[in-house]
Structure formats: C-alpha cells, structure tokens
Amino acid sequence: MTTERVARAEVPCRACLAGEDLDWLGGRSVSLALELTTVVETVPGPPAPPAEGWPEEVWAYLRERLPGLDPRPPAVRVHSAAPSASGLSSSTALIVALLRAYTRLCVPAPGVPDATLAQWAYAFEFARFNGGGMDHLAVIEGGALLLEGRTTGLPVIRDRAVFPEDWTVLVLDSATRKDTGDHIRVVREQLATGDPALALYRKEADEAATQAWSAIGARDLDGLAGAMDRAHVTMRDHQRMSTPVLEELRELALGSAGLRLKLSGAGGGGSLVGVCRTADADGIASAVRGALGEQYPAARVIPTRAAGPEPAASPVP
C-alpha cells in the first residue's frame, strides 16, 4: 500500500476519579477524559518497515476484522501530551488513536462507528491484560462518565455529565512507576476466593464513586475532592495500590496548597490527580511545585481540563 492521503486521530487520556477495578469487578466508577491527548497521523508514502510495537499489533488485529487490508501498516507519527505509564490510560489512548487513524484511512465513509471501535479496543487489550473497559469508553466518549462494571465486556454507561468549565484538573506526575504487573491476576484470585478485603474495597469504592458523581452534578468542588480522597484511602488501605512516594507527595500537596490528591489507575502508573477552581489553578500548581523542591526534581504538576469527544474527521487528500 502506497498512499498520498493522510488520516489523523486525536484521543484524550483519562483520570479515574473513583472506582478503580470496578469496571470489571462490578460496581460504579467515575471517569473523566482529559485534554492531555495522543495524536496519531499517518504518513504518506510506502508502508512502515517491520517493527515491534502497538502500530504493528493494532494493524494485525484490524486485518482480522477488515478483510483486504495490506499486510503492512502505513507509517505513522505519534505524539502524546500525557505522561507515559502514569495511570492516565495513555496506552489505551494510543491504541484507540491507531484504530481511528487506520480505519479513517482505509474504510470508506461513514467509517467505523465509535461503538465498534470501543469494542475492538477493549477486546484487543483484554486479550493481553485481562482487565476492564473503563479506559476505552472514557477516551472515546469524552467528558465525565458514571459507569456500571461487568465481569466481562464493556461497562454500561449509566450517566454522562459535562465537567464544570470553571474547574481545572491538576495532574501530579511523580515520575515513578509502581511494580504492579500482576495486579489484575492477584485481584482475580481475591475475587475467586472471596477475600473480605476485596469485598470491603468494592463497597467503599462504589460508595466513593456515587459520592463523586453526585458532587459533579451539584457542582460541589469540595464534595468531589472529599470523594476522591475517600477513593484513594480505600485503594491504599484495602488494596495496597499506593506507595510511600505517592503518599509523601499527597502530604506535600495538602500541606503546601490544601490540594487533596488521588492516585489514578489501579495498575503501574504513578500519577495523582486533584481538582480546583480554574482561577486558583496557577497559584496552587506553583505552591505544589515549590513543595516538591529538590527532593522530587523529576515530578511535574500539569494543569489540564476536561475533554469532550473528538469531532468526526475524514482522511485528508
């Protein structure tokens, strides 16, 4: 395949405000798409040379579903504003962006529906990681979602909301990774054996998600911060999802700026997220950066906003 056309896809990352793992354990969770986007653009000309990685794997996966695709994928350029391996679902954003760009290039209008892309992206990752589908819906649908988890398949979207425009999300990228490669396997074993710690976590996380969703609807910023703090505490105390470094960063943010932070993502990421009024964001971010000081020189504070769904796009001649 040699083509002069270009297809582009831009996909947000997501923060989980409450309810990690409940998208596949069962229970409610709250996701929020963020304007830290991953952009994939196909490159005109001959196909990409053989290489390992998501572009190759996603193309091979698509060829099983779209007969007639060429053996080699088109070359692509990739740029991401989201911290990698941060618990903000940057990997899912890349997979969805590849699926969108490839199908926009190869499938005639009206193209592949977003609902189908969500199913494909979920199945692609489930086969590799055995996890849930919050991330795929979050980055495709945009905005804030209240999800009801299921043991298999994508969660059910119970409600949607427009995140208040005068609220900013502050991401504290710790620049550290958690060693949680076996997290899903361990939690599935807990589920199979009826571990009471998991049962307590599910109850507390579900209630925190309900509290967070009510606060978003009521535009109650303090209520949302409290719900996120509750969600973090149950992640830490019942499922050991946090680390000493992340706990120290939380204390620094709270002590320097009164900002309550929550770990985002149950897996290996090391980012914390908080919410504040946009008018206060610069001052809070500056205070937290100052508190990080020389002790955490690689850590970053990244202000961002809620992201909506990507507008429809067509290949560019």
Side-chain angles (χ1 to χ4, degrees):
M1 175 183 64
T2 298
T3 179
E4 296 306 314
R5 294 189 304 156
V6 173
R8 183 180 187 275
E10 184 172 4
V11 177
C13 70
R14 71 96 187 94
C16 180
L17 303 187
E20 274 83 355
D21 286 339
L22 299 192
D23 57 332
W24 59 270
L25 285 171
R28 285 161 289 194
S29 54
V30 178
S31 68
L32 180 67
L34 300 178
E35 289 183 345
L36 298 173
T37 61
T38 296
V39 177
V40 169
E41 188 174 65
T42 63
V43 178
E52 295 182 355
W54 290 136
E56 288 276 338
E57 292 193 38
V58 170
W59 184 258
Y61 177 84
L62 267 183
R63 290 187 68 219
E64 297 173 356
R65 285 149 183 80
L66 298 174
L69 292 185
D70 287 352
R72 304 289 314 135
V76 294
R77 285 189 290 261
V78 177
H79 171 75
S80 180
S84 63
S86 60
L88 297 175
S89 197
S90 57
S91 292
T92 296
L94 174 57
I95 289 164
V96 170
L98 286 165
L99 285 169
R100 271 187 170 160
Y102 287 159
T103 55
R104 284 173 176 172
L105 186 69
C106 302
V107 178
V112 177
D114 278 350
T116 301
L117 287 181
Q119 290 286 351
W120 286 355
Y122 164 75
F124 178 87
E125 287 204 68
F126 183 82
R128 289 155 178 80
F129 306 118
N130 203 24
M134 172 200 295
D135 300 353
H136 314 89
L137 291 176
V139 304
I140 286 175
E141 298 288 337
L145 301 179
L146 176 66
L147 302 171
E148 183 75 31
R150 300 189 292 180
T151 54
T152 58
L154 288 167
V156 176
I157 300 175
R158 291 299 183 195
D159 205 357
R160 305 168 190 263
V162 175
F163 205 66
E165 294 184 359
D166 58 341
W167 292 1
T168 287
V169 178
L170 292 178
V171 175
L172 199 169
D173 174 23
S174 70
T176 64
R177 287 193 177 192
K178 297 184 294 170
D179 183 13
T180 56
D182 62 348
H183 171 79
I184 292 177
R185 179 188 60 79
V186 170
V187 176
R188 288 194 181 277
E189 289 178 357
Q190 286 182 289
L191 183 63
T193 59
D195 189 329
L198 180 63
L200 184 55
Y201 169 74
R202 292 173 69 183
K203 176 180 179 295
E204 283 290 316
D206 182 82
E207 291 178 359
T210 301
Q211 180 183 340
W213 191 254
S214 297
I216 292 172
R219 301 180 66 89
D220 177 3
L221 183 62
D222 189 63
L224 177 58
M228 292 169 62
D229 188 69
R230 179 181 181 181
H232 177 93
V233 168
T234 196
M235 291 170 70
R236 179 193 67 201
D237 293 354
H238 301 309
Q239 286 297 91
R240 301 182 298 280
M241 294 183 194
S242 190
T243 69
V245 167
L246 295 176
E247 292 307 311
E248 185 166 357
L249 292 175
R250 290 183 78 235
E251 291 298 322
L252 288 173
L254 184 63
S256 63
L259 180 67
R260 287 176 281 183
L261 292 174
K262 174 198 169 290
L263 175 64
S264 179
S271 281
L272 298 151
V273 294
V275 291
C276 66
R277 300 200 184 280
T278 299
D280 301 328
D282 288 345
I284 291 174
S286 178
V288 175
R289 290 186 187 109
L292 297 175
E294 296 181 359
Q295 186 175 1
Y296 294 103
R300 296 185 295 159
V301 181
I302 308 169
T304 187
R305 304 290 297 275
E310 185 197 35
S314 301
V316 178

